[in-house]
Amino acid sequence: MSKKRKKVLVAGATGYIGGGVLEVLHGQGFWVRALCRDKNRLRNTNWCDDIFMGHATQPDTLKGLCEDIDVVFSSIGIHSFNRHPTFWDVDYQANLNIFEAAKASGVKHFIFVSVLHASEMARLSPLAKARDQVAQTIMHSGMDYNIFAPTGFFNDAQEFLDAAKKKGVIRLFGDGSSIYNPLSALDFGEEVARVIKEPLLRNTVRPVGGCEKFSNQQMAELVFKILGQEPHIKSIPIWILTLWALALRPFNYNAYALVKFFEFTARTPDMTGEAIGHRHVEAFLRNLANGMSLVEADRALGSWNESRLPIDAKG
Ligand SMILES: NC(=O)c1ccc[n+]([C@@H]2O[C@H](COP(=O)([O-])OP(=O)(O)OC[C@H]3O[C@@H](n4cnc5c(N)ncnc54)[C@H](OP(=O)(O)O)[C@@H]3O)[C@@H](O)[C@H]2O)c1
């Protein structure tokens, strides 16, 4: 059996999801190349075997990106109310640029992070449509793939914590009854490592989430409990989201796409995915409340699983 280390490109490596994936892959012995625009945004440059400086939105800066790479992972995306760049520039085109670079270099396996219920949501929100179209392109390309469609990650819950700390109030979209199972980036990274090592797990689209379910109302209450504050939770009715999106559409397409995304999640009673991982969001939020960074808060819940070493190049 060959003992050659598999080489993985991580695009989105400076973000929460890609950073967690990179950390786990490096920890489990993969050779990892990180794509980034700014090295200082990487969790730890020592975890990268190679750093490729490039802009995913500019294909001319990506020449050589996927040379000698076995597997490409991408979680590049925006969730911004700024007008530019748009979801089509980043969530769609930047990911396609990476996919084209992978194809050109003969990469055999592409792993992409979409969003939960992307196909259903695509009719409502351009954000979901952009990611769903990338997923469809990959799936119909003939290349091996894994499309993950996650529910919210732990960094979403951090937004509740920040709102409660800074404003003393958490605003929920809809009545807060929609249920989800938040996922740690490190738990997700372990699953990514698994699908790289096991060829039988390829060519699937999987909705994924964490090990515990919460309604948004329960998550908001948990955050106030952790902070030792009286819960102050307000609801933004769905009809307001609908009107808000309509008003935003003519002059801020990104904001429109995001509000439509929130509207979909508020309207959907079950936003859970298949439970993967073991890390608990309450412990994560307590770590954040005690002053840890996002990365420290995640890692303090248990290191990635080293037991699956060594990595070989089969498949
Ligand atoms: N987090 C969640 O709860 C969640 C759940 C389901 C699906 N997703 C999907 O996963 C994506 C990533 O989530 P995340 O939490 O990891 O987000 P994040 O922490 O904001 O990371 C986003 C990544 O995309 C890169 N990026 C953004 N704009 C770019 C641009 N114009 N050009 C090149 N790179 C750019 C960022 O690079 P820089 O550091 O250089 O900006 C960063 O590496 C989301 O956009 C979403 O579509 C997220």
Side-chain angles (χ1 to χ4, degrees), residues 91-292:
D91 292 67
Y92 179 71
Q93 195 57 56
N95 282 306
L96 276 194
N97 292 342
I98 291 164
F99 178 65
E100 288 303 327
K103 258 195 339 192
S105 296
V107 170
K108 299 277 188 304
H109 184 189
F110 202 99
I111 304 172
F112 180 63
V113 177
S114 181
V115 289
L116 189 70
H117 300 315
S119 304
E120 300 94 302
M121 210 193 301
R123 281 178 275 118
L124 198 66
S125 171
L127 187 170
K129 192 171 182 178
R131 293 195 91 80
D132 191 47
Q133 289 196 358
V134 174
Q136 297 295 338
T137 304
I138 297 164
M139 287 160 63
H140 293 106
S141 68
M143 196 186 291
D144 273 356
Y145 64 85
N146 286 90
I147 309 294
F148 286 103
T151 187
F153 275 78
F154 282 9
N155 58 341
D156 265 3
Q158 184 194 19
E159 289 176 17
F160 274 12
L161 190 80
D162 290 345
K165 267 193 190 149
K166 287 182 198 146
K167 298 179 188 149
V169 58
I170 294 177
R171 291 177 206 281
L172 301 178
F173 299 121
D175 64 4
S177 62
S178 173
I179 291 173
Y180 78 123
N181 51 337
L183 179 59
S184 146
L186 294 181
D187 279 338
F188 180 63
E190 289 179 2
E191 193 59 23
V192 169
R194 212 162 73 89
V195 302
I196 294 175
K197 285 182 265 182
E198 181 46 77
L200 288 175
L201 297 176
R202 290 190 200 153
N203 303 321
T204 60
V205 180
R206 278 170 67 201
V208 290
C211 58
E212 294 167 298
K213 293 183 182 179
F214 294 85
S215 68
N216 283 293
Q217 173 76 23
Q218 288 169 329
M219 180 58 74
E221 287 167 1
L222 174 65
V223 163
F224 281 111
K225 186 181 93 177
I226 289 169
L227 292 174
Q229 291 173 211
E230 273 303 303
H232 189 192
I233 301 166
K234 288 192 171 169
S235 159
I236 303 176
I238 291 176
W239 66 266
I240 291 195
L241 294 177
T242 311
L243 286 182
W244 190 19
L246 266 177
L248 285 166
R249 186 176 179 147
F251 61 93
N252 188 335
Y253 202 68
N254 274 1
Y256 160 75
L258 263 182
V259 174
K260 286 310 248 184
F261 179 85
F262 299 144
E263 185 187 324
F264 180 93
T265 58
R267 278 187 198 282
T268 307
D270 186 348
M271 286 295 293
T272 61
E274 174 197 339
I276 56 171
H278 59 274
R279 289 172 176 82
H280 293 272
V281 72
E282 176 169 354
F284 168 82
L285 289 170
R286 284 192 187 282
N287 291 342
L288 282 184
N290 288 332
M292 286 187 192

Side-chain angles (χ1 to χ4, degrees), residues 12-17 37 41 57 75-79 85 90-91 113-115 131 150-153 155-156:
T14 52
Y16 175 67
I17 300 175
R37 307 187 278 182
R41 290 176 59 77
T57 49
S75 57
I76 281 187
I78 50 172
H79 41 105
V90 181
D91 292 67
V113 177
S114 181
V115 289
R131 293 195 91 80
T151 187
F153 275 78
N155 58 341
D156 265 3

